[in-house]
Structures are given as structure tokens and as C-alpha cells.
Amino acid sequence: MEDNNRRKFIKNVGIGAAAIGTAGLAGVLSSCKGQKQEEQAVKEEPKAKTIEWKMVTTWPPHSPMLGEGADKLAEWIEQMSGGRLKIKVYGGGELVPPLGVFDAVSQGTAEMGHGVAYYWAGKVPAAQFFAAVPFGFNAQNLNAWLYAGDGLKLWEEIYEKFNVKPFPAGNTGAQMGGWFNKKINSMADLKGLKMRIPGLGGKVLAKAGGNAVLVAGGEIYTNLDRGVIDATEWVGPFHDLQMGFYKAAKYYYYPGWHECGSALETIINKDAWNALPDDLKAIVETATYKANIWMISNFEAKNNAALRELIDVHKVQLMEFPESVLKEFKKLSLEVLEEIAESDPMSRKVYDSFLEFQKNIYEWNKIAEEPYQKLKHL
Ligand code: CA
């Protein structure tokens, strides 16, 4: 990507009062009323008012796939409701700062939000289990836990006291391990390594002796290029290519052990939700399912072409983390997760459910998915 375009892209990349009317119909007409009265009643029926909501997001406006996912969700809800529920989408910083999304929805400044649950870890530690767990669920496992296990119920429970209702609204699929300027051959290579890696993955790197730093999306490239940081992770090839990291780092590592299938969420203020008629509630819920499948499908479909371009055109060296390093990362990840669970009763409850579901689904995966993965390469 040319510098100009890259700058434009980076500029667009961050960290990532409603008029709620009565949408109900005039009321049920009693059959004992005469035809004339009935016609009169129909004439006087108030037109269903349009409900207008604001959706604040953690994304730069219309950013590819992520902000786009928020735009599409709003568009589908309006379309399915025949225009009865209109949602105006705000990019991060346009109405509230990206990391102010949860509070804005909780307080009702906006009726709806779109982002990732790990951004609220400081306020709701258990939220981290609904975003990205190192060595945790892939997208398919996570959806199974959320929709068909206790996952979503627990997620609703932890947001309840904030007057917020969550819905899964997308998934990035497996991410990449990140960009490095030196090879990672053993844990010793991580000592003192200054890497931009947020969330639980950052806690694991810190345990491994590295230095996990938070850098806003728009500043990562410059920091990497100038050596302010030694390494960074971002998302996957599709997004990383646009960020131009290949110009500032030699090695592109996989797998993304720290984000094996990161979930996006949409959150709704409970008062606004409760004021919706049942059909609009069903429409909103259905649209979130569509948003979830739309995003994972697009990530899965577009990443490989971008990876080929990075390797073939930009001569990036694709590297796999050594098994010894991954084993250590896994051990440290389990320690980090246990520490979070120990520090907060709700995290304990969520993590226990997560582990129970994981045990069950991995047994099934061993019989069904894993042999099939091998069959693909026969
Ligand atoms: Ca990431």
C-alpha cells in the first residue's frame, strides 16, 4: 500500500435520546362493535411511530469488516422492520470515545453499542471470557457455548447490573500471532520484548518476561517502524496488510494463540430494549445472528488472498511459533485465567461454565472435526 493510502487507512483505524414512540397498533377491536364503529376505529388508528436509536461503536467510522459490521447490523434492522426502527451508527469518538461505548449504553446516552467485550475488563472482569480467551474457543465452539450452552445467559447476567443486554455480533476467526523483527526460537527471546498485545494475551506475555504495551491502532505502525515497540499483533492478514506492517517487520508469526476466534458484541440499553414491541425485539435478535455469520464468513473468505499478497508480493517471512514456546504460552495462559477466576466470583462462574463446555465439545471435536481436518490434506 502506498504511504498515502496507508496513512489514510491508519487515520481511520482506532483501537479498536431516542424518540421511542408507541409502535403498537391501535388496539384489538372488539367483535361486538358494529362495522361502522370498526371502520371509524381504523381511521383513527395512530400511525406506528418510527423509533430512532443511536449506535456508538469502538471502531473508526465504516472501518473494513468491523465498523462495516455495525453499519450492516443497523441497515438490516431498519430493512427488516420496514423502517420502524432506525439506527444511526457513530464511529468511535464521533459521539463518545471508543472506550466510552459501554458506559454510554449503560447510561442511555446511546441505546446501542458495538465493540468487543474485553474493552470493559476493568469494569467487568468476566467480560473477557466473551471476547478472546488464549487457547480458548474457536468461532464455532464459541457460538455453540453462547447459543446452545450457558454462555449467552451468563453474559446477560454479568451485564444485567449495568442495565445492558449483550448479543454476539461477529467473530474475527483465528487471528495471527503477530509481527516480529527477530525470530522467536525459545522463551528467552521474549524476555524484555516490547510488544503491542492487548487483553489476556498481554498478561501472558508479561508472565513470560515480555513487556505488553497498549498502543492505539493509529500509532502502531509508526511505533513499530521507529523501534518504540519491537513487535505487534493486530488482527489477521486482511487487516494487517492494510496497516502496512510488512514494511516495518520481517517475520509474520502464527498461530494467533491469544485470539483463536475473537467475538464482537452489540449491546443494548435495557430500558430501550424493554420498550420495544416483541416483533422488533425478534428482528433485532435475528439481525445480530446475521451480523455474526456475515463477519466470520468475510474474515474466512478474505484472509488467505491477503496472506498470499504479503508473502508473494511483499516477501514477508511466514513463521510458526515453536511448539515449546506454544506449550509455555498455554501453561501461562491457564495460570492467567485461573487468577482472574480466583479474583472475582462472577469470573469463576463463567470460567467454570467455559471449562465444562470446552471439555464436552473437545471430546466431540476429537471424533468429528479433528480427523476431518486431517482428511482435508490427504
Ligand atoms: Ca488482535
Side-chain angles (χ1 to χ4, degrees), residues 339-358:
E339 281 163 17
I340 293 167
E342 281 305 298
S343 68
D344 164 53
M346 214 42 228
S347 294
R348 175 86 268 162
K349 190 172 171 184
V350 173
Y351 189 42
D352 283 351
S353 163
F354 184 99
L355 288 174
E356 182 66 28
F357 198 84
Q358 189 178 47

Side-chain angles (χ1 to χ4, degrees), residues 118 175 196 198 233-235 258-259 262:
Y118 57 39
Q175 300 197 7
R196 182 264 175 202
E233 71 82 59
W234 182 234
V235 190
H258 62 302
E259 296 199 58
S262 300

Side-chain angles (χ1 to χ4, degrees), residues 65 172 238 294-306:
M65 288 216 238
T172 66
F238 178 84
W294 176 86
M295 193 174 291
I296 182 65
S297 305
N298 274 277
F299 268 97
E300 288 291 281
K302 290 174 182 168
N303 268 326
N304 194 55

